[in-house]
Amino acid sequence: MKPEPYEQGLLKGLAEGDKRTIEIIYKDHYNMIQSLIINNNGSADDAKDIFQEALIVLYEKVRSGSFELNCQLKTYIYSVSKRLWLKKLSVNNRFVTAAEDPDSIYPVEDEITAHEKRDAEFDMMEKAIASLGEPCKSLLEAYYLKKQNMQVIATSFGYTNADNAKNQKYKCLLRLKKIFFAHYKNGMDHE
Amino acid sequence: MSELNMLETVERYIRGEMNPDERVQFEQLRKTNAEVDQLVVEHTFFLQQLNRFGEWKKFRHLLQFIHTDLAEKGSIQSNRLSGKARVIYLFNRYKRVSSIAAAIAVVTTLSISALVWTLAPASPHSQFEELNKKYSQLEYKTRKQASEIDQIKRSKTIPVDMPFTTGGTGFIIDPKGYLVTNAHVVSEARTIAIQNNLGEYLVEVVHIDKVRDLAILRVTDDNFKRYGALPYSISKKAGQLADPIFTLGYPRNEVVYSQGYLSARTGYDGDTLSCQIEISANRGNSGSPIINRRGEVIGILNGRQTNAEGFAFAVQGKYIYQLSDSLRNADPSLSIRLNGRSNISSLERSEQVKRIQDYVYMVKVN
């Protein structure tokens, strides 16, 4: 079944990171996932984590340009959340009894595998940035993540001019790349 | 070229910040130098990774913010923040719409109230709060009970577990939901209900005449569906001796048919209000219609004197007319229209009974 135009609109809004759209999706589906998690040995905090992770999976999917879910948004979120939660439960060796209902479950294995890989990469990046220490961490975050202007960064970090800040930034970036690729190659070797 | 300069060059190339000449030159270098080429590929990948990481982080942040916001607004069923986290949330929210000065005022207020809160003796306060909570719980319960009682009082359907005891029989005299039965059946009753194949309904007494042993009931139940027209008529004439008659009643939990004949034009001990009929009747038959072969109700079986074998007395039909007249005089809103023409006069007996039985009810009292 194709998602209705309404849901496609939501997915487009999500891809753009539109706050209103995300609020609507959040409001419409959060309670469903919370009861799923709480009824299956989880807490409200677990529910929040799982639901947000499911939204990230969805976000990554629509970011890649695919707005076709082949099922209802609700079913998709439910299926992803359920798989994520079952995985988490089995990692923690907790007892799992959730019965599968084939009608309401949409196969999301591939998406979840891709999500896990990405998650591991992001985790790697986060750790690499954190291990840089200050001021490198903030400098790179300001330029590459917050996309601030070099001039602004120079002023706020206290560099005498933008060139110095830029120079420093490249030094930091070089370090970051080395740390990241060291981890990244290690990660690849493990697979 | 140092590693640092190289990186800068590569990045400028990737970001499209080079001028055309520089660009051509650099592309030439890429072709000839595998190391530079590799660096471009690697750095492109790295920048992409960094970019996606940034968006991912931003999205996570946004989700977190939306969650807190929706939970505070009560749009999702998540726990609200408490303590410090809540102050931070409120502060952030507030900060966005107001000036710094106002925010400082909030912080000051909060810290003063926090100070007061920490300095004030804690235990009586918390006890008071608990008491207050208990009190409001109690208040809530009382309100709920009151509303439930109200609902029971107002409800016009039969409560599920209401016990009913003995009763008699009654039958519809007006399709709007008026029935007639014997006065002695309902005289002691607090709650009265009627029941047959169609259902069970609450009724109330609108008129009672103990002398003639007649009572008129009105259905008050919300579930009651009014009838179209009555199949039988109410006759003013007493009928002739030896006229064949029959009755339908509820001596037990099922409708029972009996037949007989009019045996005397007066009732017990020469009672002119009633007549004597030869029929097998039991206590539950009190209030059953006595119907002649043309489908006319000529009387209402009065079970009071059914101690003798094989015969019974019946209140004559004309008194139903008198009763409805006096009722109309007492309260014009309660106008009962009695059917003077039988619609089943030419039908077979079994067919007549079939038509009539939906209009005859067991009367249950409590």
Side-chain angles (χ1 to χ4, degrees), chain B residues 240-262:
Chain B
Q240 297 299 315
L241 284 184
D243 266 355
I245 45 117
F246 68 94
T247 187
L248 284 171
Y250 285 88
R252 52 200 189 93
N253 274 342
E254 202 175 353
V255 68
V256 172
Y257 167 85
S258 317
Q259 61 178 9
Y261 53 86
L262 190 69

PDB file of all heavy atoms in Angstrom, chain B residues 240-262:
ATOM      1  N   GLN B 240     -72.412 -12.329  26.869  1.00  0.00           N
ATOM      2  CA  GLN B 240     -73.516 -13.224  27.171  1.00  0.00           C
ATOM      3  C   GLN B 240     -73.016 -14.454  27.917  1.00  0.00           C
ATOM      4  O   GLN B 240     -71.861 -14.848  27.775  1.00  0.00           O
ATOM      5  CB  GLN B 240     -74.187 -13.669  25.858  1.00  0.00           C
ATOM      6  CG  GLN B 240     -74.804 -12.548  25.066  1.00  0.00           C
ATOM      7  CD  GLN B 240     -75.916 -11.835  25.830  1.00  0.00           C
ATOM      8  OE1 GLN B 240     -76.778 -12.492  26.439  1.00  0.00           O
ATOM      9  NE2 GLN B 240     -75.908 -10.509  25.822  1.00  0.00           N
ATOM     10  N   LEU B 241     -73.892 -14.985  28.698  1.00  0.00           N
ATOM     11  CA  LEU B 241     -73.569 -16.244  29.366  1.00  0.00           C
ATOM     12  C   LEU B 241     -73.213 -17.290  28.314  1.00  0.00           C
ATOM     13  O   LEU B 241     -73.769 -17.296  27.225  1.00  0.00           O
ATOM     14  CB  LEU B 241     -74.770 -16.743  30.178  1.00  0.00           C
ATOM     15  CG  LEU B 241     -75.048 -16.047  31.500  1.00  0.00           C
ATOM     16  CD1 LEU B 241     -76.208 -16.753  32.210  1.00  0.00           C
ATOM     17  CD2 LEU B 241     -73.814 -16.050  32.388  1.00  0.00           C
ATOM     18  N   ALA B 242     -72.269 -18.123  28.668  1.00  0.00           N
ATOM     19  CA  ALA B 242     -71.815 -19.222  27.800  1.00  0.00           C
ATOM     20  C   ALA B 242     -70.980 -18.745  26.616  1.00  0.00           C
ATOM     21  O   ALA B 242     -70.529 -19.555  25.813  1.00  0.00           O
ATOM     22  CB  ALA B 242     -72.969 -20.070  27.294  1.00  0.00           C
ATOM     23  N   ASP B 243     -70.712 -17.393  26.550  1.00  0.00           N
ATOM     24  CA  ASP B 243     -69.783 -16.928  25.501  1.00  0.00           C
ATOM     25  C   ASP B 243     -68.398 -17.577  25.723  1.00  0.00           C
ATOM     26  O   ASP B 243     -67.873 -17.515  26.837  1.00  0.00           O
ATOM     27  CB  ASP B 243     -69.594 -15.404  25.611  1.00  0.00           C
ATOM     28  CG  ASP B 243     -70.533 -14.638  24.708  1.00  0.00           C
ATOM     29  OD1 ASP B 243     -71.254 -15.291  23.931  1.00  0.00           O
ATOM     30  OD2 ASP B 243     -70.534 -13.393  24.801  1.00  0.00           O
ATOM     31  N   PRO B 244     -67.841 -18.163  24.662  1.00  0.00           N
ATOM     32  CA  PRO B 244     -66.484 -18.705  24.843  1.00  0.00           C
ATOM     33  C   PRO B 244     -65.469 -17.571  25.020  1.00  0.00           C
ATOM     34  O   PRO B 244     -65.538 -16.551  24.334  1.00  0.00           O
ATOM     35  CB  PRO B 244     -66.226 -19.490  23.561  1.00  0.00           C
ATOM     36  CG  PRO B 244     -67.179 -18.934  22.561  1.00  0.00           C
ATOM     37  CD  PRO B 244     -68.348 -18.369  23.296  1.00  0.00           C
ATOM     38  N   ILE B 245     -64.574 -17.753  25.947  1.00  0.00           N
ATOM     39  CA  ILE B 245     -63.550 -16.736  26.201  1.00  0.00           C
ATOM     40  C   ILE B 245     -62.189 -17.425  26.343  1.00  0.00           C
ATOM     41  O   ILE B 245     -62.103 -18.628  26.560  1.00  0.00           O
ATOM     42  CB  ILE B 245     -63.847 -15.925  27.480  1.00  0.00           C
ATOM     43  CG1 ILE B 245     -64.268 -16.851  28.630  1.00  0.00           C
ATOM     44  CG2 ILE B 245     -64.950 -14.897  27.253  1.00  0.00           C
ATOM     45  CD1 ILE B 245     -63.335 -16.822  29.761  1.00  0.00           C
ATOM     46  N   PHE B 246     -61.132 -16.629  26.185  1.00  0.00           N
ATOM     47  CA  PHE B 246     -59.792 -17.185  26.458  1.00  0.00           C
ATOM     48  C   PHE B 246     -58.937 -16.110  27.118  1.00  0.00           C
ATOM     49  O   PHE B 246     -59.299 -14.928  27.161  1.00  0.00           O
ATOM     50  CB  PHE B 246     -59.141 -17.717  25.174  1.00  0.00           C
ATOM     51  CG  PHE B 246     -58.778 -16.649  24.167  1.00  0.00           C
ATOM     52  CD1 PHE B 246     -57.504 -16.088  24.143  1.00  0.00           C
ATOM     53  CD2 PHE B 246     -59.703 -16.222  23.222  1.00  0.00           C
ATOM     54  CE1 PHE B 246     -57.168 -15.123  23.203  1.00  0.00           C
ATOM     55  CE2 PHE B 246     -59.373 -15.250  22.282  1.00  0.00           C
ATOM     56  CZ  PHE B 246     -58.105 -14.704  22.265  1.00  0.00           C
ATOM     57  N   THR B 247     -57.812 -16.529  27.639  1.00  0.00           N
ATOM     58  CA  THR B 247     -56.924 -15.579  28.302  1.00  0.00           C
ATOM     59  C   THR B 247     -55.468 -15.948  28.061  1.00  0.00           C
ATOM     60  O   THR B 247     -55.149 -17.098  27.776  1.00  0.00           O
ATOM     61  CB  THR B 247     -57.221 -15.496  29.808  1.00  0.00           C
ATOM     62  OG1 THR B 247     -56.437 -14.444  30.366  1.00  0.00           O
ATOM     63  CG2 THR B 247     -56.896 -16.786  30.524  1.00  0.00           C
ATOM     64  N   LEU B 248     -54.614 -14.943  28.168  1.00  0.00           N
ATOM     65  CA  LEU B 248     -53.169 -15.151  28.098  1.00  0.00           C
ATOM     66  C   LEU B 248     -52.581 -14.530  29.357  1.00  0.00           C
ATOM     67  O   LEU B 248     -52.912 -13.403  29.708  1.00  0.00           O
ATOM     68  CB  LEU B 248     -52.573 -14.441  26.889  1.00  0.00           C
ATOM     69  CG  LEU B 248     -52.780 -15.089  25.526  1.00  0.00           C
ATOM     70  CD1 LEU B 248     -52.331 -14.140  24.426  1.00  0.00           C
ATOM     71  CD2 LEU B 248     -52.012 -16.393  25.425  1.00  0.00           C
ATOM     72  N   GLY B 249     -51.748 -15.268  30.041  1.00  0.00           N
ATOM     73  CA  GLY B 249     -51.197 -14.723  31.270  1.00  0.00           C
ATOM     74  C   GLY B 249     -49.882 -15.374  31.638  1.00  0.00           C
ATOM     75  O   GLY B 249     -49.368 -16.243  30.918  1.00  0.00           O
ATOM     76  N   TYR B 250     -49.335 -14.904  32.742  1.00  0.00           N
ATOM     77  CA  TYR B 250     -48.027 -15.389  33.183  1.00  0.00           C
ATOM     78  C   TYR B 250     -48.114 -16.020  34.567  1.00  0.00           C
ATOM     79  O   TYR B 250     -47.541 -15.499  35.514  1.00  0.00           O
ATOM     80  CB  TYR B 250     -47.006 -14.254  33.181  1.00  0.00           C
ATOM     81  CG  TYR B 250     -46.526 -13.873  31.807  1.00  0.00           C
ATOM     82  CD1 TYR B 250     -47.203 -12.936  31.038  1.00  0.00           C
ATOM     83  CD2 TYR B 250     -45.383 -14.462  31.270  1.00  0.00           C
ATOM     84  CE1 TYR B 250     -46.758 -12.597  29.773  1.00  0.00           C
ATOM     85  CE2 TYR B 250     -44.937 -14.131  30.001  1.00  0.00           C
ATOM     86  CZ  TYR B 250     -45.625 -13.190  29.256  1.00  0.00           C
ATOM     87  OH  TYR B 250     -45.175 -12.861  28.004  1.00  0.00           O
ATOM     88  N   PRO B 251     -48.815 -17.165  34.692  1.00  0.00           N
ATOM     89  CA  PRO B 251     -48.776 -17.864  35.973  1.00  0.00           C
ATOM     90  C   PRO B 251     -47.383 -18.402  36.249  1.00  0.00           C
ATOM     91  O   PRO B 251     -47.030 -18.690  37.387  1.00  0.00           O
ATOM     92  CB  PRO B 251     -49.782 -18.988  35.797  1.00  0.00           C
ATOM     93  CG  PRO B 251     -49.868 -19.207  34.321  1.00  0.00           C
ATOM     94  CD  PRO B 251     -49.595 -17.883  33.689  1.00  0.00           C
ATOM     95  N   ARG B 252     -46.599 -18.565  35.230  1.00  0.00           N
ATOM     96  CA  ARG B 252     -45.185 -18.910  35.406  1.00  0.00           C
ATOM     97  C   ARG B 252     -44.371 -18.038  34.447  1.00  0.00           C
ATOM     98  O   ARG B 252     -44.911 -17.087  33.889  1.00  0.00           O
ATOM     99  CB  ARG B 252     -44.947 -20.407  35.171  1.00  0.00           C
ATOM    100  CG  ARG B 252     -45.498 -20.946  33.863  1.00  0.00           C
ATOM    101  CD  ARG B 252     -45.653 -22.465  33.952  1.00  0.00           C
ATOM    102  NE  ARG B 252     -45.980 -23.051  32.663  1.00  0.00           N
ATOM    103  CZ  ARG B 252     -45.078 -23.520  31.821  1.00  0.00           C
ATOM    104  NH1 ARG B 252     -43.797 -23.463  32.123  1.00  0.00           N
ATOM    105  NH2 ARG B 252     -45.441 -24.044  30.672  1.00  0.00           N
ATOM    106  N   ASN B 253     -43.110 -18.388  34.278  1.00  0.00           N
ATOM    107  CA  ASN B 253     -42.246 -17.488  33.506  1.00  0.00           C
ATOM    108  C   ASN B 253     -42.506 -17.490  32.009  1.00  0.00           C
ATOM    109  O   ASN B 253     -41.722 -16.944  31.246  1.00  0.00           O
ATOM    110  CB  ASN B 253     -40.780 -17.832  33.761  1.00  0.00           C
ATOM    111  CG  ASN B 253     -40.275 -17.125  34.991  1.00  0.00           C
ATOM    112  OD1 ASN B 253     -40.895 -16.148  35.436  1.00  0.00           O
ATOM    113  ND2 ASN B 253     -39.190 -17.598  35.560  1.00  0.00           N
ATOM    114  N   GLU B 254     -43.586 -18.105  31.608  1.00  0.00           N
ATOM    115  CA  GLU B 254     -43.874 -18.183  30.196  1.00  0.00           C
ATOM    116  C   GLU B 254     -45.341 -17.858  29.998  1.00  0.00           C
ATOM    117  O   GLU B 254     -46.160 -18.092  30.887  1.00  0.00           O
ATOM    118  CB  GLU B 254     -43.588 -19.603  29.714  1.00  0.00           C
ATOM    119  CG  GLU B 254     -43.341 -19.673  28.236  1.00  0.00           C
ATOM    120  CD  GLU B 254     -42.944 -21.086  27.846  1.00  0.00           C
ATOM    121  OE1 GLU B 254     -42.746 -21.925  28.738  1.00  0.00           O
ATOM    122  OE2 GLU B 254     -42.865 -21.337  26.658  1.00  0.00           O
ATOM    123  N   VAL B 255     -45.660 -17.327  28.838  1.00  0.00           N
ATOM    124  CA  VAL B 255     -47.046 -16.975  28.609  1.00  0.00           C
ATOM    125  C   VAL B 255     -47.869 -18.271  28.465  1.00  0.00           C
ATOM    126  O   VAL B 255     -47.425 -19.239  27.835  1.00  0.00           O
ATOM    127  CB  VAL B 255     -47.183 -16.046  27.381  1.00  0.00           C
ATOM    128  CG1 VAL B 255     -46.843 -16.748  26.082  1.00  0.00           C
ATOM    129  CG2 VAL B 255     -48.576 -15.426  27.312  1.00  0.00           C
ATOM    130  N   VAL B 256     -49.034 -18.274  29.130  1.00  0.00           N
ATOM    131  CA  VAL B 256     -49.865 -19.485  29.147  1.00  0.00           C
ATOM    132  C   VAL B 256     -51.270 -19.135  28.641  1.00  0.00           C
ATOM    133  O   VAL B 256     -51.848 -18.125  29.023  1.00  0.00           O
ATOM    134  CB  VAL B 256     -49.947 -20.075  30.582  1.00  0.00           C
ATOM    135  CG1 VAL B 256     -50.968 -21.202  30.642  1.00  0.00           C
ATOM    136  CG2 VAL B 256     -48.574 -20.562  31.033  1.00  0.00           C
ATOM    137  N   TYR B 257     -51.747 -19.968  27.782  1.00  0.00           N
ATOM    138  CA  TYR B 257     -53.081 -19.771  27.205  1.00  0.00           C
ATOM    139  C   TYR B 257     -54.082 -20.654  27.954  1.00  0.00           C
ATOM    140  O   TYR B 257     -53.813 -21.815  28.236  1.00  0.00           O
ATOM    141  CB  TYR B 257     -53.047 -20.148  25.716  1.00  0.00           C
ATOM    142  CG  TYR B 257     -54.400 -20.284  25.071  1.00  0.00           C
ATOM    143  CD1 TYR B 257     -55.069 -19.162  24.562  1.00  0.00           C
ATOM    144  CD2 TYR B 257     -55.014 -21.536  24.950  1.00  0.00           C
ATOM    145  CE1 TYR B 257     -56.289 -19.286  23.954  1.00  0.00           C
ATOM    146  CE2 TYR B 257     -56.253 -21.664  24.345  1.00  0.00           C
ATOM    147  CZ  TYR B 257     -56.892 -20.531  23.842  1.00  0.00           C
ATOM    148  OH  TYR B 257     -58.116 -20.657  23.246  1.00  0.00           O
ATOM    149  N   SER B 258     -55.250 -20.086  28.267  1.00  0.00           N
ATOM    150  CA  SER B 258     -56.343 -20.909  28.843  1.00  0.00           C
ATOM    151  C   SER B 258     -57.635 -20.476  28.179  1.00  0.00           C
ATOM    152  O   SER B 258     -57.758 -19.336  27.727  1.00  0.00           O
ATOM    153  CB  SER B 258     -56.505 -20.682  30.341  1.00  0.00           C
ATOM    154  OG  SER B 258     -55.290 -20.642  30.994  1.00  0.00           O
ATOM    155  N   GLN B 259     -58.583 -21.401  28.125  1.00  0.00           N
ATOM    156  CA  GLN B 259     -59.880 -21.014  27.579  1.00  0.00           C
ATOM    157  C   GLN B 259     -61.020 -21.498  28.458  1.00  0.00           C
ATOM    158  O   GLN B 259     -60.865 -22.395  29.276  1.00  0.00           O
ATOM    159  CB  GLN B 259     -60.037 -21.531  26.156  1.00  0.00           C
ATOM    160  CG  GLN B 259     -59.973 -23.038  26.052  1.00  0.00           C
ATOM    161  CD  GLN B 259     -60.188 -23.494  24.624  1.00  0.00           C
ATOM    162  OE1 GLN B 259     -60.224 -22.700  23.712  1.00  0.00           O
ATOM    163  NE2 GLN B 259     -60.374 -24.790  24.449  1.00  0.00           N
ATOM    164  N   GLY B 260     -62.167 -20.846  28.285  1.00  0.00           N
ATOM    165  CA  GLY B 260     -63.326 -21.203  29.105  1.00  0.00           C
ATOM    166  C   GLY B 260     -64.554 -20.480  28.583  1.00  0.00           C
ATOM    167  O   GLY B 260     -64.630 -20.166  27.398  1.00  0.00           O
ATOM    168  N   TYR B 261     -65.487 -20.190  29.482  1.00  0.00           N
ATOM    169  CA  TYR B 261     -66.697 -19.477  29.061  1.00  0.00           C
ATOM    170  C   TYR B 261     -67.191 -18.615  30.192  1.00  0.00           C
ATOM    171  O   TYR B 261     -66.801 -18.792  31.350  1.00  0.00           O
ATOM    172  CB  TYR B 261     -67.765 -20.452  28.592  1.00  0.00           C
ATOM    173  CG  TYR B 261     -68.079 -21.542  29.597  1.00  0.00           C
ATOM    174  CD1 TYR B 261     -69.030 -21.333  30.612  1.00  0.00           C
ATOM    175  CD2 TYR B 261     -67.437 -22.778  29.538  1.00  0.00           C
ATOM    176  CE1 TYR B 261     -69.300 -22.311  31.539  1.00  0.00           C
ATOM    177  CE2 TYR B 261     -67.711 -23.759  30.453  1.00  0.00           C
ATOM    178  CZ  TYR B 261     -68.645 -23.541  31.454  1.00  0.00           C
ATOM    179  OH  TYR B 261     -68.906 -24.513  32.379  1.00  0.00           O
ATOM    180  N   LEU B 262     -68.014 -17.659  29.813  1.00  0.00           N
ATOM    181  CA  LEU B 262     -68.602 -16.769  30.806  1.00  0.00           C
ATOM    182  C   LEU B 262     -69.692 -17.539  31.536  1.00  0.00           C
ATOM    183  O   LEU B 262     -70.637 -18.032  30.914  1.00  0.00           O
ATOM    184  CB  LEU B 262     -69.194 -15.548  30.098  1.00  0.00           C
ATOM    185  CG  LEU B 262     -69.655 -14.393  30.981  1.00  0.00           C
ATOM    186  CD1 LEU B 262     -68.462 -13.711  31.637  1.00  0.00           C
ATOM    187  CD2 LEU B 262     -70.439 -13.385  30.160  1.00  0.00           C
TER     188      LEU B 262
END
